[in-house]
Amino acid sequence: MPPLRSIANKPLKHSAHSIPANPIIGVRSYGDTPSTVVKYATGMIRGLQDGGVLCLAKHFPGHGDTSMDSHLTLPCVDKPRTELEKMELAPFRAVIADGVPAIMTAHILFPTLDDSGVPATMSRRIVTDLLRGEMGFTGLVTSDCMEMQAVQKFFGTVNGVLAAMNAGVDLVLISHTTRLSGEAAAAAAEALADGRLDRAELEASVARILAAKAKLAATPAPAFDAAEAAAQNDRLLRATITEVHVPRAGRPDLGAHPLCVGCPVYRTGLVGNVVDDVAQSFPTMMAAHLGGEGVTTAVDPTDEEIAALVDRAAGCTGIVIGSYNGHLHPQQLGLAKALAAVGKPIAAVALRNPYDLFSLPENVYTLVAYEYTARSTAAVADVLRGHSAAPGRLPIAHPDFANKEAQ
């Protein structure tokens, strides 16, 4: 295996607090503060374990504080250890104390934790010295997929696998390519034979894996009622719909012929769900609930498309716009602002991250649905028709709406 640092290009850096521009985490996190994450993560972990599910906490030491996606490149979180302790490491310390059975590593550089130029997954200082030694974690350590470009592009998947095993990772994941799995297994066997991998450490990893399997096998399978589970899931979803801003005029009366607009659902990242029916878009579904018409836009509507929709809105009784990662696709927010200026009653719904809503004018009524699905659209429609409340609580900090009219 060649020296890892000779393969890596200069990484892309970002240093800040957990940021809205993160393209891959967003609603995959419980919130933007350690206390919020700990509250919900510990409850979820306990519930999964009670149900006989081996769960893990990810991505150690943290993935929230970068504007880069490790599926596509090699991010770097370059912040002092004191800040890492307060934000990134605090939730992991809490779930370790609460008995989380497994932790997944991040393909991210943390130079204040390890300045050798390798990401956390491949860092013995981070996996063995910090996570196992200093933080006292005794459960399973798994990697993220080693085919992600943070590893494959900068180090090579097979080299990365060997480095992760040397770092102390118990389960190294190759999620897609059978050929690479075979090459990595052969390379690991060769490295074990010639002493580049420590046999005692690998046997300790095997012991942890077998212990986790034995514990799962001893957990009785709980009774499961699919229909009741689906109904409970819908009740929980409706409880999360969040009313973010109510204009001075109150919740809008959208009338009998609203204009419903928004982009189609699309895969937001390599970890996003595969879209089976791209024709089933938010505006089409919303128009079916509310009446009126639905117009599906591009993910980044053009200026001409925005102008045409503004003209079209003149004949409607109200406007509903759905945004999907609008804070990363500013033309979506440009469309919302242009439609807000028409003067009709208007509602905007964030179908993923709430950040989309914070720059909209004061006259826009805003909701967060957190997901782009038929069931979330139905729940939002019931709120807009006044048939149900929006009792959810925003899981992130948001600015005041003062001076929005000036924006």
Side-chain angles (χ1 to χ4, degrees):
M1 181 174 69
L4 293 173
R5 291 194 70 184
S6 68
I7 303 173
N9 296 322
K10 185 176 180 180
L12 299 168
K13 291 191 176 186
H14 184 85
S15 179
H17 296 294
S18 291
I19 55 173
N22 190 310
I24 200 63
I25 301 299
V27 292
R28 299 173 67 206
S29 172
Y30 287 111
D32 63 355
T33 65
S35 59
T36 300
V37 171
V38 168
K39 176 181 179 181
Y40 293 105
T42 52
M44 187 69 177
I45 289 166
R46 291 171 193 168
L48 289 170
Q49 291 195 97
D50 289 346
V53 176
L54 176 61
C55 59
L56 56 77
K58 64 180 187 180
H59 309 75
F60 183 83
H63 205 317
D65 208 358
T66 175
S67 60
M68 305 296 177
D69 179 359
S70 55
H71 294 85
L72 306 176
T73 191
L74 178 57
C76 178
V77 176
D78 190 9
K79 57 198 291 188
R81 174 68 184 263
T82 53
E83 291 187 25
L84 291 173
E85 285 288 348
K86 292 177 182 177
M87 178 66 77
E88 279 79 7
L89 296 180
F92 286 104
R93 289 188 184 278
V95 297
I96 288 170
D98 207 55
V100 67
I103 288 177
M104 177 185 283
T105 58
H107 300 332
I108 295 179
L109 298 171
F110 287 84
T112 56
L113 301 178
D114 183 350
D115 61 0
S116 68
V118 297
T121 296
M122 298 157 57
S123 167
R124 189 171 182 87
R125 295 184 200 174
I126 292 175
V127 176
T128 295
D129 297 344
L130 174 60
L131 180 58
R132 291 218 183 274
E134 185 179 328
M135 299 175 71
F137 181 62
T138 59
L140 290 175
V141 177
T142 81
S143 75
D144 210 336
C145 178
M146 304 301 284
E147 291 186 74
M148 291 163 59
Q149 290 303 297
V151 173
Q152 190 174 74
K153 177 180 177 181
F154 292 89
F155 305 96
T157 293
V158 174
N159 288 332
V161 167
L162 296 184
M165 295 174 75
N166 266 319
V169 176
D170 299 308
L171 293 169
V172 188
L173 308 184
I174 296 177
S175 306
H176 307 284
T177 308
T178 303
R179 175 185 57 79
L180 278 175
S181 298
E183 291 177 2
E190 182 180 337
L192 178 62
D194 64 22
R196 286 176 292 139
L197 286 176
D198 185 275
R199 180 174 295 274
E201 290 191 354
L202 293 188
E203 289 177 349
S205 287
V206 171
R208 282 189 285 267
I209 294 167
L210 294 177
K213 288 184 175 182
K215 185 175 181 180
L216 283 177
T219 303
F224 181 75
D225 184 318
E228 173 54 31
Q232 174 71 352
N233 193 42
D234 188 66
R235 288 192 292 270
L236 291 172
L237 179 144
R238 288 173 176 270
T240 68
I241 304 299
T242 305
E243 190 174 71
V244 177
H245 174 63
V246 180
R248 286 189 289 269
R251 183 181 295 178
D253 180 357
L254 298 170
H257 193 79
L259 174 65
C260 305
V261 300
C263 71
V265 65
Y266 66 93
R267 191 168 176 170
T268 58
L270 294 179
V271 293
N273 293 331
V274 175
V275 177
D276 294 322
D277 185 6
V278 296
Q280 190 179 44
S281 66
F282 172 82
T284 301
M285 294 185 290
M286 187 58 69
H289 288 291
L290 300 182
E293 60 178 324
V295 178
T296 303
T297 71
V299 174
D300 281 299
T302 64
D303 291 342
E304 293 76 15
E305 193 173 5
I306 291 173
L309 285 167
V310 167
D311 290 340
R312 197 164 185 166
C316 71
T317 57
I319 301 167
V320 181
I321 179 167
S323 69
Y324 197 47
N325 274 6
H327 64 299
L328 303 178
H329 296 280
Q331 284 291 95
Q332 291 186 30
L333 303 187
L335 172 60
K337 292 174 183 179
L339 291 174
V342 172
K344 303 282 184 174
I346 181 170
V349 184
L351 298 168
R352 195 167 188 266
N353 297 323
Y355 304 113
D356 296 3
L357 306 176
F358 296 160
S359 67
L360 298 184
E362 195 280 334
N363 66 307
V364 181
Y365 174 76
T366 59
L367 292 171
V368 188
Y370 305 104
E371 67 177 47
Y372 194 138
T373 62
R375 62 182 188 174
S376 68
T377 302
V380 167
D382 280 348
V383 173
L384 294 177
R385 289 183 296 192
H387 294 174
S388 62
R393 296 173 59 186
L394 202 63
I396 59 175
H398 66 88
D400 293 331
F401 282 86
N403 302 318
K404 279 291 183 290
E405 290 179 318
Q407 295 186 10

